[in-house]
Amino acid sequence: MLIGADRIAANGDTANKIGSYALALGAERAGVPFIVVAPESTIDPATPSGEHIEIEDRGADEIVAFRGTRVAPEGTDALNPAFDVTPHDLITAIVTEERVIRP
C-alpha cells in the first residue's frame, strides 16, 4: 500500500489525511507493506514524534451540516481533525526522491 504524508516526524511517525492510520492497521493485519511516499521536504527533524504534530481542527460545520443545511440537532458539536498520525512501527518504509528510510 502506498500513501502520501503531509509531515514526517524525526522518529518516522507520519501525519496524513484522516483514515491513513486505519489503512496502516489494515495493511498490517493483511500482511501488506505500508509505504509512505513523500518529498524529502516533508521530513521535519525538529519534531521528535507524532505526538508533537499539531493537528488542525476543521470545525464542526462539515460534520453537522450538509450543503449549508443542518443535519444534526441544534447544539451538536463535533471534532473534525484534518489529519491523523500513523505510528512509525506500522510503516514499512518511507520513500523520498533522495532515499528510502526504514523506521
Side-chain angles (χ1 to χ4, degrees):
M1 180 177 297
L2 303 175
I3 196 163
D6 288 277
R7 193 160 173 199
I8 302 171
N11 74 339
D13 293 347
T14 63
N16 198 34
K17 304 298 181 262
I18 286 295
S20 300
Y21 178 48
L23 291 173
L25 290 170
E28 179 184 53
R29 177 71 178 198
V32 174
F34 188 81
I35 301 169
V36 175
V37 181
E40 189 74 24
S41 61
T42 306
I43 298 172
D44 182 359
T47 300
S49 71
E51 294 176 350
H52 297 91
I53 296 174
E54 185 175 335
I55 304 298
E56 170 193 351
D57 185 345
R58 297 176 62 169
D61 288 345
E62 291 181 1
I63 305 295
V64 300
F66 180 72
R67 294 188 178 181
T69 301
R70 190 161 189 84
V71 294
E74 197 62 44
T76 300
D77 201 8
L79 291 174
N80 187 13
F83 305 102
D84 60 16
V85 174
T86 300
H88 65 277
D89 62 327
L90 294 175
I91 299 169
T92 307
I94 298 169
V95 178
T96 75
E97 71 277 14
E98 295 181 16
R99 58 188 168 148
V100 175
I101 304 163
R102 298 189 186 274

